[in-house]
Amino acid sequence: MEVIKHYEYLHEIPELGFNEFKTSEYLKTTLKNAGFKIQELDKTGFYTELGSGDEIIGLRADIDALGHIIDNIACAKHTCGHDAHMSMLLCAALKAKEQNIIKNKKIRFIFQPAEELGSGALKMIELGACDNLSAIFGMHIRPIQECPSPKAIASMYYAASAAIKIDIVGKAAHGARPHLGINAIDIGVSIIDLARKIYIDPNKPSSIKATRFICDSGVTNSIPSEATLVFDLRAQHNESMQEMKEKLEKIIVNMANTYDAKINYEYLINIPAAIIDKKLAKICEEVIVDTLGEDNLIKEQFTPGGEDFFFYPIKLGIPSAFMGLGVDCSPGLHHPQMQLNKNALENGVNLWLNLIKKLENLK
């Protein structure tokens, strides 16, 4: 299968966000050789189109790999399935052109960088990749535990995801004279303790937890003056995420005043929760049934994972839908030894093709 050939090549050239140069070049060259015109955007992101209708519908795939430390060596590796995503959309574009199935509408195939950084979708919007779109669709492979092959999910409800970095500046002092200092460890521990007491409506899943705490004076008898904290925040609803962030920010300000310290914070990641259009979700359900059979349809799945795709409907004000594809991914996404069933990728190609056909006939 062609999709496996593309997947195997792209899998071997993983590149980090906004640096997907070889990846982007391979995709663009393959499309150009098939007669596609490429609209290049910035360094690595681009799109191409088929059809000549007035209505433009976007299909998006992400192209970046994850950063890992394996055997004490920092490296890029495709452990989130983006190599599968771009291979499936690439093949769908090639087959759609070959079969001449797009006549009434215009389909825009969007290849987006830097999803793992949480900023690739925003960059594509800024550069005009989504201008004049009436709707946008995405797809992501799923872990075997929630969606084994050949099943597929019509609506993936991703959670809002944020990472906040907090820099604490206190005052150094000798361990024998703590009253002369402002202990950055004490401040960090207080922030962590109070953050654990942030309560959000339990009917709306959410979590907040410290994931990094760096503080070291260099010796055992000196009070450290500086520390860095990182929190990971998750919420199934955007309103819950906003409430959680506001409460954490209030804690940070109060602790700065309580300890007479300087505390700065910034959001490293700030991704919204899924917004899925019911009409488009129904279309995805029909496409899955037509392609894989009714027994292989999972109507919806909720996940605490984040996906920057949902900046598109929020920032552009257009309807969106997002499918999940079973490819027997194990042990799981982002695992350094993640494996998948390559043969299942053809299901993703066919889902894209059948979606295009269905969109063609919609009025």
Side-chain angles (χ1 to χ4, degrees), residues 27-78:
L27 295 167
K28 288 186 287 189
T29 299
T30 303
L31 289 163
K32 286 177 183 176
N33 289 342
F36 284 83
K37 293 182 179 179
I38 305 298
Q39 180 63 52
E40 300 199 31
L41 303 164
D42 199 27
K43 298 185 293 183
T44 57
F46 71 94
Y47 70 80
T48 188
E49 294 179 336
L50 278 179
S52 57
D54 293 331
E55 183 180 3
I56 308 173
I57 299 172
L59 309 182
R60 170 270 203 177
D62 36 20
I63 68 173
D64 57 322
L66 269 165
H68 283 277
I69 298 177
I70 301 175
D71 296 329
N72 295 317
I73 299 174
C75 63
K77 191 170 183 179
H78 276 298

Side-chain angles (χ1 to χ4, degrees), residues 87-200:
S87 301
M88 293 186 296
L89 190 62
L90 172 65
C91 277
L94 295 171
K95 288 189 175 184
K97 182 176 176 59
E98 179 184 323
Q99 297 173 16
N100 193 29
I101 64 174
I102 304 172
K103 299 181 177 70
N104 301 318
K105 292 184 173 65
K106 186 178 288 184
I107 302 296
R108 183 175 296 173
F109 300 90
I110 301 168
F111 292 88
Q112 177 207 304
E115 189 280 328
E116 296 296 349
L117 300 181
S119 54
L122 290 172
K123 176 58 71 173
M124 295 295 274
I125 293 169
E126 175 190 331
L127 297 174
C130 304
D131 289 356
N132 304 314
L133 289 185
S134 63
I136 189 166
F137 292 80
M139 185 189 299
H140 202 298
I141 66 166
R142 304 311 305 154
I144 191 171
Q145 297 88 346
E146 69 178 47
C147 183
S149 171
K151 293 183 181 294
I153 303 164
S155 296
M156 283 298 309
Y157 284 91
Y158 283 84
S161 173
I164 183 172
K165 176 174 172 282
I166 305 166
D167 292 313
I168 302 166
V169 180
K171 184 179 179 182
H174 194 288
R177 289 173 285 278
H179 61 293
L180 299 179
I182 301 173
N183 194 328
I185 291 179
D186 288 344
I187 301 170
V189 169
S190 293
I191 293 173
I192 292 171
D193 182 55
L194 290 169
R196 293 176 65 183
K197 296 178 176 65
I198 292 176
Y199 296 111
I200 305 296

Side-chain angles (χ1 to χ4, degrees), residues 229-262:
L229 269 176
V230 175
F231 280 90
D232 177 273
L233 293 77
R234 307 272 166 164
Q236 201 65 58
H237 302 275
N238 289 313
E239 297 78 12
S240 298
M241 174 61 80
Q242 184 60 33
E243 181 182 351
M244 196 157 41
K245 289 194 291 188
E246 289 175 358
K247 289 181 175 180
L248 179 59
E249 290 167 10
K250 186 175 181 180
I251 288 170
I252 293 169
V253 171
N254 287 342
M255 288 304 96
N257 293 331
T258 298
Y259 285 94
D260 194 23
K262 182 179 179 181

Side-chain angles (χ1 to χ4, degrees), residues 125 130 133-136 275 310-320:
I125 293 169
C130 304
L133 289 185
S134 63
I136 189 166
I275 297 178
F310 296 101
F311 279 120
Y312 293 120
I314 288 175
K315 296 294 184 180
L316 300 169
I318 60 174
S320 72

Side-chain angles (χ1 to χ4, degrees), residues 261-279:
K262 182 179 179 181
I263 307 179
N264 297 314
Y265 63 88
E266 63 173 321
Y267 286 95
L268 306 176
I269 297 173
N270 203 358
I271 298 173
I275 297 178
I276 290 179
D277 181 82
K278 297 299 182 183
K279 180 181 177 182

